[in-house]
Amino acid sequence: MKRSVAAMLLGLMLVCSLVGCGKKDNAANSAPSAAMFSVTGTNAVLYDAAVDFLSKQNDSDVFLPVLGIVGTFENEAGTTCYVLHCDQYIFPGLSKAIADKEGLTGFPGQSVLWMCVEIGADGNVASVKASLDGEPDHPDSIRDICGPLTQLADTILSGSSPSVTETFPDMEPMEMLQLYVDAQN
């Protein structure tokens, strides 16, 4: 999902206008969640698992992921594995701006990541893995994430975009940002 600079700037102006909307001083901001963006069912489990994983990997204080399912397979344990394309929209300084009721500094960025979320028969997350972008083991991590979907792994490694069967949340990043800021107030 590529967004124009104008749309990003419009979103920043929106955030700057919202940061003083009654947020209690020094209150901690919540992480993004499936419920915040009306994502339900299996997609909600996938979204919350990705957010939990990314929050442990990400040093940015606010990131809003958009996930796309690019493949599924059943592994040898009989659990369903979802191969996901993850666009992370990163907003450095947003938590501080909300807490301090100040204008947002910094410019939102975007990072792309490939993930595999494994869900057991009970509907609970069994594991989450992500690609090692920029690392020497990147090709191996993509092949590991894709499991038996070798053609999908080859497509990703070639730099081509695989077909996405479903994207969630199904909204523009600036709409997500507004919902996130509203949830912090």
Side-chain angles (χ1 to χ4, degrees):
M1 297 179 125
K2 295 192 176 150
R3 306 292 171 231
S4 70
V5 173
M8 290 292 198
L9 290 174
L10 181 60
L12 284 176
M13 291 187 321
L14 166 71
V15 172
C16 290
S17 70
L18 293 174
V19 294
C21 295
K23 175 76 175 167
K24 295 177 184 174
D25 289 338
N26 299 320
N29 291 315
S30 62
S33 68
M36 193 178 288
F37 306 117
S38 302
V39 176
T40 60
T42 301
N43 290 355
V45 174
L46 294 170
Y47 192 85
D48 288 340
V51 166
D52 182 59
F53 180 85
L54 293 169
S55 68
K56 295 172 185 168
Q57 309 297 316
N58 200 333
D59 60 359
S60 173
D61 64 345
V62 175
F63 60 95
L64 303 175
V66 174
L67 303 177
I69 299 173
V70 295
T72 60
F73 63 92
E74 190 174 295
N75 66 13
E76 51 283 340
T79 58
T80 303
C81 300
Y82 293 83
V83 182
L84 305 170
H85 175 264
C86 175
D87 278 316
Q88 293 182 80
Y89 296 93
I90 302 167
F91 299 89
L94 181 59
S95 289
K96 183 171 177 14
I98 292 170
D100 295 345
K101 299 179 183 173
E102 295 177 353
L104 180 63
T105 60
F107 192 78
Q110 182 179 2
S111 173
V112 175
L113 184 69
W114 299 96
M115 304 178 80
C116 179
V117 177
E118 178 185 357
I119 299 181
D122 59 1
N124 292 323
V125 175
S127 72
V128 179
K129 297 184 263 186
S131 60
L132 302 172
D133 293 341
E135 300 291 324
D137 293 333
H138 173 69
D140 292 337
S141 71
I142 293 294
R143 293 193 190 291
D144 183 45
I145 286 168
C146 293
L149 305 175
T150 56
Q151 192 171 30
L152 175 60
D154 291 342
T155 299
I156 292 169
L157 289 170
S158 74
S160 298
S161 296
S163 297
V164 175
T165 59
E166 189 170 3
T167 300
F168 51 94
D170 187 18
M171 60 184 67
E172 296 292 322
M174 292 304 120
E175 183 180 355
M176 290 176 65
L177 179 60
Q178 182 173 356
L179 291 170
Y180 177 82
V181 171
D182 289 349
Q184 306 312 306
N185 293 310

